[in-house]
Amino acid sequence: MDKLFNSHWFVKIISFFIALMLFAMVNMDDLTSQPGILPSLSDRTSTLEEVEVTVVYDEENYAIVDQTEHVQVKLSGSQSAVAFFQLMRPNFEVFVDVTERQEGVHTLSIQHRGFPGDLSVSIVPQFARVELQEKQTVSIPVDVELVNADAVKEGYSVGTPMVSPVNVTVTAAREVAAEVADAKAYVDVEDADKMLEEAVPVKLYDSSGNELHLDVEPGIVDVRVPITSPNKSVPIKISREGELTEGVSIESINVSPKEVLIYGPFDVLESFNVLEGLTIDLDNITEDQTFTMEVPVPPGVQALEPEMVEVEVNIAEEESRQWSDVSIELIGAPGETDIDFADDEEETLSIIAHGAEANLDQFSVDDIQVYADVSNLSEGEHSVPIQINGPQNIRFSVSKTNVEVIVSGQAESE
């Protein structure tokens, strides 16, 4: 078959027969009008069903609410004219023109164009009904609907979506525009573990939740959905290095904010109870100062906020206050080991607290712990350093720095 269609002789023969048929149809009326050649033939009719009715109207200001949509078109004429129309199917149009009409219901005669001039055209029905209504533009806020919001990656949470633009406009017939109740953009967040940024189509709904198929501008909006990793709020610890000038003391160190939010895997977050890494150099502080410091991101932490904090250091003239006969506590002794002070060792000491007056006024000896760590000592006599736990902005001087203790082995059972 392919070889046959590729033959130029075959194409020429087919073309000749088509031309002959067209010639015969065009000249059939002349042939039939000559007596004695062919018998006389009557006119022929053809009916076109469900022909669409086009409405010509002021589309800028009005919308069509209702109209006659289809009609039946009957064509009559010579056999050759009808046959030619059926074969060539020229472009034609059935229409009503309401460009000069205003809002309301209009009944107008149906017009036509594009049919051959040698055919008689009859349209059923002859009149079309068109209802026009003035257009109205309404602005609707876009509501972002999250699909599978409970199926984000484990440990992650969904933030408040952001949409741009915030509002869309709908232009339609007044009554139709009034039916619009919601404009929604749907975003699927299943298995999401980072910020989602998507261009999403806008869908319109009436108050009953039925979707309305109307033109909306813009038809697509940009949506950003924050997806937050597991996080934990931890306090900031400010470390110190160096020493202040003699005669002054730190009255207070304030951090703003006091806590930061750290993001990362659960196992990493569990290892943090405080955030360290910020250090101030006391050697360079001679007056009240405020520092802006960058918060370091610890290993394993994905991000933190805020990234910067303010550290305010206030200093004041140093004063001193003294307490005597402060008890020394022995801590860390195994349950079955007998540890006691040496025979000539005093179990108390004198202590001097140095600091700003405001801090010393709030301080009492009950706010400190004076102790010696006697854990992991072998039998015999030992000299153990004395340690003090107390307020951070107060330093302490003691009458002695070590205490003598005796480890005598397991305690005797009573």
Side-chain angles (χ1 to χ4, degrees):
M1 183 63 71
D2 291 339
K3 291 182 179 180
L4 186 61
F5 279 106
N6 289 331
S7 171
H8 67 281
W9 284 109
F10 177 78
V11 174
K12 288 181 177 180
I13 293 171
I14 293 298
S15 301
F16 171 77
F17 278 106
I18 292 176
L20 185 61
M21 290 173 58
L22 291 174
F23 176 80
M25 286 188 292
V26 171
N27 293 278
M28 184 176 294
D29 293 337
D30 294 336
L31 292 174
T32 55
S33 64
Q34 299 180 22
I37 297 178
L38 287 174
S40 177
L41 298 176
S42 62
D43 286 348
R44 183 178 175 185
T45 62
S46 176
T47 301
L48 305 178
E49 303 287 351
E50 295 294 311
V51 177
E52 184 177 352
V53 178
T54 302
V55 179
V56 182
Y57 67 104
D58 180 1
E59 298 182 29
E60 183 177 350
N61 297 306
Y62 295 96
I64 297 174
V65 177
D66 190 22
Q67 71 168 96
T68 301
E69 296 184 353
H70 298 92
V71 293
Q72 182 187 76
V73 177
K74 294 182 179 181
L75 303 175
S76 60
S78 65
Q79 287 192 2
S80 60
V82 173
F84 184 81
F85 176 85
Q86 292 175 333
L87 179 64
M88 302 306 294
R89 298 295 290 191
N91 290 329
F92 61 88
E93 185 178 24
V94 175
F95 68 97
V96 290
D97 188 345
V98 291
T99 52
E100 301 300 325
R101 304 300 179 99
Q102 296 182 344
E103 181 174 324
V105 179
H106 309 284
T107 302
L108 300 98
S109 176
I110 301 176
Q111 305 177 60
H112 62 82
R113 55 191 165 201
F115 291 98
D118 53 357
L119 288 179
S120 175
V121 180
S122 175
I123 299 175
V124 180
Q126 297 180 6
F127 297 90
R129 180 181 183 274
V130 179
E131 182 177 355
L132 294 179
Q133 195 169 97
E134 191 173 2
K135 280 186 175 181
Q136 186 176 40
T137 299
V138 294
S139 180
I140 307 292
V142 180
D143 182 23
V144 178
E145 292 282 340
L146 300 179
V147 181
N148 297 317
D150 56 350
V152 294
K153 206 163 187 179
E154 184 179 359
Y156 288 75
S157 58
V158 182
T160 302
M162 296 162 282
V163 60
S164 179
V166 176
N167 296 313
V168 294
T169 58
V170 179
T171 301
R174 185 180 61 257
E175 293 180 1
V176 176
E179 293 180 4
V180 181
D182 298 294
K184 296 184 178 182
Y186 292 90
V187 179
D188 191 342
V189 296
E190 185 175 5
D191 292 330
D193 59 359
K194 61 181 179 181
M195 169 82 76
L196 293 180
E197 299 185 56
E198 296 186 6
V200 184
V202 178
K203 295 187 176 183
L204 304 176
Y205 298 90
D206 63 16
S207 58
S208 299
N210 302 310
E211 186 174 357
L212 303 174
H213 300 282
L214 303 174
D215 290 335
V216 57
E217 180 62 35
I220 295 177
V221 293
D222 295 320
V223 179
R224 299 178 65 207
V225 183
I227 305 296
T228 306
S229 65
N231 58 78
K232 179 180 182 180
S233 184
V234 294
I236 300 173
K237 178 182 178 181
I238 303 296
S239 300
R240 312 172 190 198
E241 62 182 15
E243 294 184 1
L244 289 172
T245 302
E246 185 176 354
V248 296
S249 177
I250 291 178
E251 185 174 47
S252 65
I253 296 179
N254 300 312
V255 185
S256 180
K258 297 182 182 298
E259 297 185 338
V260 294
L261 200 61
I262 58 176
Y263 299 85
F266 281 120
D267 56 343
V268 173
L269 297 181
E270 289 176 355
S271 65
F272 284 93
N273 292 317
V274 65
L275 186 67
E276 300 180 298
L278 277 74
T279 303
I280 57 174
D281 187 355
L282 300 181
D283 290 333
N284 298 323
I285 298 178
T286 58
E287 59 184 1
D288 293 350
Q289 284 186 263
T290 299
F291 304 91
T292 299
M293 306 182 71
E294 182 177 359
V295 183
V297 181
V301 173
Q302 295 175 348
L304 54 77
E305 58 182 41
E307 298 178 351
M308 308 290 290
V309 295
E310 285 193 351
V311 180
E312 180 185 12
V313 181
N314 298 310
I315 62 174
E317 184 178 348
E318 185 176 76
E319 297 186 4
S320 301
R321 297 189 187 170
Q322 183 173 355
W323 286 266
S324 301
D325 299 326
V326 179
S327 298
I328 303 170
E329 183 182 1
L330 302 180
I331 66 171
E336 297 180 351
T337 301
D338 186 12
I339 301 179
D340 206 349
F341 293 96
D343 292 339
D344 57 349
E345 183 65 68
E346 293 184 4
E347 300 181 13
T348 62
L349 53 66
S350 296
I351 187 169
I352 301 174
H354 308 272
E357 181 180 7
N359 293 331
L360 292 177
D361 287 344
Q362 299 176 17
F363 172 76
S364 74
V365 73
D366 295 330
D367 295 328
I368 62 172
Q369 180 187 27
V370 181
Y371 67 94
D373 186 354
V374 295
S375 59
N376 301 319
L377 297 181
S378 59
E379 289 191 24
E381 187 171 340
H382 300 271
S383 179
V384 183
I386 296 173
Q387 302 181 56
I388 299 176
N389 280 336
Q392 192 173 30
N393 293 327
I394 296 178
R395 66 183 183 89
F396 300 94
S397 301
V398 290
S399 58
K400 58 182 178 181
T401 58
N402 285 61
V403 63
E404 301 295 323
V405 298
I406 298 175
V407 180
S408 58
Q410 292 184 344
E412 296 181 1
S413 303
E414 295 183 359

